[in-house]
Amino acid sequence: MTDFTRTKSLFAIPDGVIYLDGNSLGPLPAAAADRVGRMISEEWGKHLIKGWNVAGWMTQPRRVGDRIGRLIGAADGTVVVGDTLSIKVYQALASALELNPSRRVILSDSGNFPSDLYIASGLLETLGRGYELKVVDPEDVEDAIDETIAVLMLTEVDYRTGRLHDMSTLTRRAHAAGALTVWDLAHSAGAIPVDLKGAEADFAVGCTYKYLNAGPGAPAFIYVAPKHADTARPALSGWMGHHAPFAFDLDYRAGPGIERMRVGTPPIIAMAALDAALDVWDGVSMTDVRHASIALADLFIREVERRCPELTLASPRDAKRRGSQASFRHPDGYAIMQALIARDVIGDFRAPDMMRFGFTPLYIGEAEVRAAVDVLADVLTNRRWDTADYRKKGLVT
């Protein structure tokens, strides 16, 4: 059994704060600041450029990738870390399209994170040649998979509502129709059990600053199934993905396996924070995390609906159909969320009317959930949200 009392002690959450926004940015692992500081002073400071060899910086993207792989059902040597999620989406999608050259349609859904759709649209504009991005409602994805689809590109958990796609079922359906799959795990990795190998997913990508708690702007990861690892051509053929980066050949030769999906120089300082954040997961069972997060979200939903009837549940009621968050709608959702944040209950808002609350048992328990509902009920009952200051939108919502 996972000891969630132990994991809670590993985070530096300010006293009095109930943090329900790990689905957007995870809190600071207590060990991260020291780890980054030691990397700067002991490795960079003392070794200088020698750190690439003596401190293992050059191989860190693979080593850290393997640590993430354990949490997403990926075998060692199939995940690498570096660059941003947008870059990794571009890489995965471009490679998948090249592996299915007789087809021209990418299928996605309206619940996908808009950035993924932007990346897809930009790539297809560059390619031209009749490529098309087809976007359907989330409920219609399975029926829309047919013999015209080259790539199915989905975010497993809807960033707004928490709606959960069935990765295994949709991947099987895609493969039966001759399509490849690209799964975005931004709201899955560290939140729910993922089995990329068992689902036979072709490509997967994800960020590390949400449920993996690696900090703002932390590097992303990419997974390539072993059957594609030595044939997928990296569209972004950067020097770190070269077969021999320090041979400085003028012609590009893709590196072996997942190494070819490296692009630029890895962000070693940020990766030190990620490595420290992953220490929290040692001894943690994703099955335990899932059971606990469902219990917390179900409790929150029941209590909110009992005490705050003016809010409308936007997430699936069935826990098996949602990730690790619960979302509620209200016309003044933004102002309500600002009033909550001012009282140290931190969730977030997504346009046009969605309040999101994430439930991460690594640092949230039943007591925090009940206390959060107490504050929410007070904010609504006494209209504490109805001020000009709370209606004024910031740059980040």
Side-chain angles (χ1 to χ4, degrees):
M1 288 287 291
T2 300
D3 183 355
F4 290 118
T5 300
R6 180 193 70 86
T7 61
K8 186 175 183 179
S9 72
L10 301 178
F11 288 92
I13 298 175
D15 290 342
V17 170
I18 300 174
Y19 195 66
L20 304 178
D21 204 18
N23 52 299
S24 189
L25 175 66
L28 173 68
D34 180 64
R35 182 74 61 85
V36 171
R38 284 191 286 114
M39 181 271 144
I40 292 173
S41 62
E42 298 296 320
E43 296 180 12
W44 179 18
K46 293 183 178 180
H47 296 310
L48 300 171
I49 200 168
K50 294 182 295 182
W52 288 105
N53 288 318
V54 300
W57 296 346
M58 193 65 176
T59 57
Q60 196 168 14
R62 274 281 296 277
R63 182 177 64 79
V64 175
D66 285 344
R67 300 190 74 187
I68 293 172
R70 183 182 75 81
L71 302 176
I72 58 175
D76 285 353
T78 60
V79 178
V80 73
V81 175
D83 315 301
T84 67
L85 181 52
S86 294
I87 288 174
K88 293 310 179 193
V89 170
Y90 188 99
Q91 281 187 284
L93 188 54
S95 294
L97 286 173
E98 283 199 16
L99 289 171
N100 213 354
S102 64
R103 300 187 182 188
R104 293 290 185 272
V105 181
I106 298 171
L107 176 64
S108 191
D109 76 332
S110 56
N112 205 345
F113 192 64
S115 180
D116 290 16
L117 301 180
Y118 303 159
I119 293 293
S121 297
L123 172 61
L124 297 192
E125 286 184 24
T126 299
L127 292 173
R129 297 178 293 174
Y131 280 96
E132 173 191 352
L133 173 62
K134 182 178 181 180
V135 179
V136 300
D137 290 337
E139 297 78 11
D140 297 332
V141 168
E142 186 169 2
D143 289 341
I145 300 172
D146 59 27
E147 286 69 22
T148 68
I149 305 301
V151 179
L152 174 65
M153 180 188 72
L154 295 172
T155 297
E156 187 181 19
V157 176
D158 188 311
Y159 75 103
R160 298 165 305 172
T161 67
R163 184 190 187 278
L164 175 63
H165 278 302
D166 187 329
M167 180 187 292
S168 294
T169 296
L170 292 178
T171 299
R172 283 197 303 271
R173 178 73 183 88
H175 287 170
L180 299 178
T181 59
V182 174
W183 287 96
D184 186 335
L185 307 180
H187 291 266
S188 306
I192 62 174
V194 179
D195 186 5
L196 292 176
K197 181 179 179 181
E200 298 185 350
D202 297 294
F203 296 86
V205 297
C207 60
T208 63
Y209 53 79
K210 300 181 189 297
Y211 293 98
L212 297 182
N213 312 302
F221 63 86
I222 185 169
Y223 163 87
V224 181
K227 64 181 177 181
H228 302 308
D230 289 314
T231 55
R233 189 187 73 84
L236 296 171
S237 44
W239 78 304
M240 285 291 169
H242 192 281
H243 184 83
F246 287 91
F248 298 109
D249 294 337
L250 296 183
D251 296 321
Y252 182 80
R253 291 183 292 126
I258 195 65
E259 286 290 321
R260 66 183 54 200
M261 291 299 172
R262 296 176 63 169
V263 183
T265 303
I268 299 301
I269 297 175
M271 211 167 293
L274 170 56
D275 205 21
L278 291 172
D279 287 347
V280 173
W281 294 92
D282 292 341
V284 172
S285 161
M286 284 308 305
T287 299
D288 292 345
V289 169
R290 179 61 168 161
H291 287 326
S293 68
I294 286 174
L296 294 173
D298 282 348
L299 172 63
F300 184 79
I301 290 169
R302 287 195 306 271
E303 290 299 301
V304 168
E305 290 189 323
R306 181 175 69 86
R307 300 179 62 184
C308 310
E310 56 267 64
L311 300 183
T312 301
L313 181 65
S315 299
R317 190 172 300 279
D318 181 357
K320 295 178 181 178
R321 296 183 54 241
R322 67 170 186 264
S324 192
Q325 70 183 70
S327 300
F328 283 87
R329 287 193 167 97
H330 189 283
D332 294 294
Y334 180 82
I336 294 169
M337 183 56 71
Q338 298 314 300
L340 284 174
I341 292 171
R343 288 158 178 79
D344 288 334
V345 176
I346 301 179
D348 67 12
F349 173 83
R350 290 294 178 263
D353 59 359
M354 195 90 68
M355 294 184 292
R356 305 190 308 171
F357 303 89
F359 299 93
T360 305
L362 296 184
Y363 50 83
I364 290 293
E366 181 177 332
E368 287 86 0
V369 169
R370 292 189 181 278
V373 177
D374 287 343
V375 176
L376 177 58
D378 174 65
V379 165
L380 289 168
T381 300
N382 296 296
R383 293 183 66 88
R384 300 191 190 281
W385 55 269
D386 195 6
T387 71
D389 284 345
Y390 291 151
R391 293 178 183 277
K392 183 180 180 180
K393 289 190 176 179
L395 292 176
V396 177
T397 62

